[in-house]
Amino acid sequence: MGPGNRPLDIEWLEDFLALAETGNFSRAAQARSIAQPAFSRHIRALEEWVGVDLFDRSAHPTALTAAGKRFQPLLQEVLAGLEAARIKAKAAHDLAAASLSFAATHVLSLTFFPRWLGRIEARLTLGPIQTISDSSLACEDLMLQRRVQFVLCHGHADAPGRLDDAQYPMQRLSDDVLVPVAAPDANRAPLHALGTGQAPSVLAYSEASGLGRIMRSIQDSEFGKDFAPSLSVVFTAHHAALLRTMALEGRGLAWLPMSLVAEDLRHGTLVDAGAGAWRVPVDIRLYRQAAHMAPVAEALWQLVSGGGASRD
């Protein structure tokens, strides 16, 4: 109970964190899967419960007040403690029913995750497993909302994501590399090539894509400030698999993970559009919740942290 014996709804606390993260009522409401008017009422109800304004609505983006900044870390600790208590109680009730929950980016759920999970299962007995395949942005949202235990995604030291900024524990599982590829012409040369002096047609990643974030973050330092303006973006998507399909159709070149296109390059259905250059090394990473997790999840993390069954 708060001031005046008002009841407190925990949903309001989750809404507060979503708005603090995004700074935008519309995007925060969308992330929480509720209508914006209802979301705004929740935030106002929480402020009435606390007794002070937690957000400065005159700022763009919406910013935390001094009271809100003080409230946020304490609230995160409370929610993390509640989540840990819930998980421990559930595990104590029935250890056999403890499950693992992963969010994985589309491309890694198709290429890396099945083989990696098989190596884990050879070393550790696992219970039920739930896997959600989505964009990098959506996977981060699931972790930040504590709806999954682990996130599997690509990463790069010079392109930190929200999980890095929030200092979620991370283990590097393997290597990958983004390769510029295109369909071949009759002479096995790329239909769309880099370094020809002409603006190639490019199949690009959207804002929701982690690979897109990496490319946008490193392209100036790796390829020069004139590189991006020299490209002609003709198609955008956040699924690497969709960009691969468009590349196979000859629609342009795309920077795709080697884990996705190795067979295409071997068979010649795609060719290197950069003559061995313009490649971007990336990590395959596993992030975990910072709070204590179910025993089977903690056992998996201990195995991965020790290097067991974690690398190709």
Side-chain angles (χ1 to χ4, degrees), residues 123 171 301-311:
R123 301 281 300 277
Q171 285 290 328
W301 185 255
Q302 184 176 3
L303 179 62
V304 168
S305 300
S310 61
R311 292 173 174 81

Side-chain angles (χ1 to χ4, degrees), residues 45-111:
L46 177 61
E47 290 176 321
E48 291 174 357
W49 184 87
V50 175
V52 295
D53 286 341
L54 300 173
F55 292 95
D56 180 3
R57 291 162 174 77
S58 66
H60 299 284
T62 301
L64 290 168
T65 62
K69 291 177 181 177
R70 179 60 178 155
F71 187 68
Q72 183 181 23
L74 299 174
L75 173 58
Q76 289 171 326
E77 291 178 12
V78 168
L79 290 177
L82 285 173
E83 178 67 7
R86 184 191 70 81
I87 290 175
K88 288 180 180 180
K90 182 179 178 182
H93 174 71
D94 190 358
L95 287 176
S99 62
L100 291 172
S101 57
F102 293 86
T105 55
H106 287 286
V107 65
L108 289 178
S109 68
L110 295 172
T111 59

Side-chain angles (χ1 to χ4, degrees), residues 97-146:
S99 62
L100 291 172
S101 57
F102 293 86
T105 55
H106 287 286
V107 65
L108 289 178
S109 68
L110 295 172
T111 59
F112 180 84
F113 183 73
R115 296 193 308 273
W116 174 79
L117 185 62
R119 294 196 298 273
I120 291 291
E121 289 176 323
R123 301 281 300 277
L124 187 67
T125 300
L126 305 180
I129 299 170
Q130 178 187 14
T131 305
I132 301 172
S133 177
D134 213 319
S135 68
S136 179
L137 185 65
C139 289
E140 289 176 342
D141 283 338
L142 290 169
M143 178 66 91
L144 292 167
Q145 295 168 19
R146 293 173 295 282

Side-chain angles (χ1 to χ4, degrees), residues 34 169 269:
I34 62 176
T269 51

Side-chain angles (χ1 to χ4, degrees), residues 218-234:
I218 61 89
Q219 62 188 6
D220 286 353
S221 60
E222 293 292 325
F223 305 144
K225 294 188 179 298
D226 295 332
F227 177 73
S230 72
L231 306 177
S232 175
V233 176
V234 297

